[in-house]
Amino acid sequence: MNSLSDAMSVFQKSTTVMRYSFLLLGLLFVGVFGVFKFLSASILPNLLTNLGLGLLAMVIADLGVKLVVNVVPRVNLPHLEKRAVFITGCSSGFGLQLAKRLDALGVTVYAGLRNSQCAGALELQATCSKNLHIVIIDVTKDEDVKNAVKYVNKTIGDKVFWSLVNNAGISIFGLTEWVDVTEYRRLYETNVLGCVRVTQAFLPLLRENQGRIVVTGSVSGRFAYPFLIPYSMTKFALTSYVDGLRREMRQWGVGVYWVQPHLYRTNLSELEVVVRQSNQVWGAATEEVKSSYGEDFFKNYLERGTGYIGENASNNIDEPVSDLIDAAVGATPQYCYTPGMKARFEMFLARYLPIYLIELMFLLFQYCYTPGMKARFEMFLARYLPIYLTDIYTEMNVNLKFPAAVLERKRLQRDSKKLH
Ligand SMILES: NC(=O)c1ccc[n+]([C@@H]2O[C@H](COP(=O)([O-])OP(=O)(O)OC[C@H]3O[C@@H](n4cnc5c(N)ncnc54)[C@H](OP(=O)(O)O)[C@@H]3O)[C@@H](O)[C@H]2O)c1
């Protein structure tokens, strides 16, 4: 491989390779189903039983495939030195470590941050290669985002713009009714609209190269933890954005991946920050709210909240950063990463346990009704089927132009190969 065009053809093949094996899924399914049939044949030999066992076998086979792909060592794409990645929120935490590690791998890194004199910027300048560019970008500002794209176009040279990592994010701690609506708006502006704004601005470059979009989501985008709901709402919004965008972008050959970390020790989860934010939110709450909950409730909340974060926040930032690297430049990326065994187990419970049991765990009681049989069936599939199968189901049902889109994409790939 000695020319950019050769490398481009590798890129095109690489984007579509997924770290998931349908062959293995099929084999495991047949195996598990066979065992179930053998065990149950004499006791429950009817159609409903077969359907139930089939579903159970599918879930177990899916878990088997995930287990296998998780233990297979990860491999990066070739020609990292020819690829460029833009990351937002590089002044600290995941973004800072990601920028440093990608730079060490030879990738051209555009490290987006808000203040060129902040500690993170100085650390990047002091420790990284000349291939790392610091780009001033506030994701809530249109002008900054436009300038960032201009800067990339001007400086990228013969490198291929390969990935955009939407990592910038803010949080807030406090009960929903304590938090003022302006705070919700601020969170949405950064976490949700910031991601959409930056993605839309970089999409022309990504489409051209059939590159990747990576989003730092959160387990809070799958499961709403009390005291963190305004933040959770933004991460749920991102989850739906990524879920749909992946399906829309498939026709362009642009991959969309998301990483949903649990709790890690970064600026966002610093105890000092949690206490300061909680005090601010409580201080600004209405008198009615304050007298209803009372000071004791607030003190108890603060003690429990900081105790939980102190005990559970992991120092192993390498975990989510490794997943972000795999999503951005790995040869076989996954649609969705949940870094860490504990978080994976919690997400497994959140996905497969009946909501009644989950609610019991939180000592809250609430019901979620989905009217209509068809809707209930679809929600059942969406909850229990592997994401790969729900994608096929959606594309067959919703995106009627899917076959045409695939043909068009193949034509584009052929044309782009001819061009180079
Ligand atoms: N830490 C966790 O436990 C955890 C768990 C799940 C998900 N996450 C997600 O991971 C991502 C990174 O967070 P982190 O844990 O690494 O926290 P962090 O150290 O606080 O990093 C957040 C980064 O986002 C930047 N940022 C905030 N508002 C911005 C804006 N308007 N425009 C551009 N950049 C902005 C911050 O820049 P400034 O320094 O300028 O503020 C900082 O660089 C976030 O999306 C967060 O929601 C974190």
Side-chain angles (χ1 to χ4, degrees), residues 1 20 22 31-32 46 55 64 80 99-100 102 112 131 167 177 180 186 222 231 238 246 283 321 368 374 401 407:
M1 291 284 170
Y20 194 87
F22 281 111
V32 177
N46 62 36
L55 259 177
L80 290 188
K100 285 166 75 171
L102 283 176
N131 287 332
N167 169 73
E177 62 176 321
D180 192 75
R186 193 172 66 89
R222 289 296 188 131
Y231 173 75
L238 276 186
R246 183 181 67 247
V321 174
C368 175
K374 185 163 174 272
K401 283 174 74 185
L407 289 179

Side-chain angles (χ1 to χ4, degrees), residues 124-137:
L124 287 172
Q125 273 160 351
T127 56
C128 293
S129 73
K130 290 203 171 63
N131 287 332
L132 183 135
H133 303 247
I134 290 196
V135 185
I136 300 302
I137 178 171

Side-chain angles (χ1 to χ4, degrees), residues 89 91-94 114 138-139 167-169 216-217 231 235 261-262 264 266:
S91 67
S92 58
F94 302 161
R114 289 196 283 187
D138 181 329
V139 298
N167 169 73
T216 313
Y231 173 75
K235 292 294 179 179
H262 202 287
Y264 288 87
T266 63

Side-chain angles (χ1 to χ4, degrees), residues 32-100:
V32 177
F33 189 63
V35 172
F36 281 158
K37 288 284 291 174
F38 175 74
L39 292 177
S40 70
S42 55
I43 317 166
L44 302 159
N46 62 36
L47 178 67
L48 264 182
T49 314
N50 284 338
L51 277 176
L53 292 182
L55 259 177
L56 193 60
M58 179 59 80
V59 170
I60 293 175
D62 175 54
L63 288 175
V65 177
K66 284 177 184 155
L67 195 73
V68 171
V69 297
N70 267 309
V71 293
V72 174
R74 289 172 173 175
V75 177
N76 286 331
L77 288 167
H79 310 295
L80 290 188
E81 72 290 352
K82 288 182 176 167
R83 301 175 199 258
V85 174
F86 192 101
I87 312 162
T88 62
C90 289
S91 67
S92 58
F94 302 161
L96 176 63
Q97 296 311 321
L98 178 64
K100 285 166 75 171

Side-chain angles (χ1 to χ4, degrees), residues 88-95 112-115 118 137-140 166-171 190-191 216-219 231 235 259-269:
T88 62
C90 289
S91 67
S92 58
F94 302 161
L113 39 80
R114 289 196 283 187
N115 172 3
C118 69
I137 178 171
D138 181 329
V139 298
T140 64
N166 284 296
N167 169 73
I170 51 174
S171 172
T190 304
N191 294 1
T216 313
S218 167
V219 290
Y231 173 75
K235 292 294 179 179
V259 178
Q260 45 177 26
H262 202 287
L263 189 56
Y264 288 87
R265 210 172 293 281
T266 63
N267 285 358
L268 190 113
S269 57

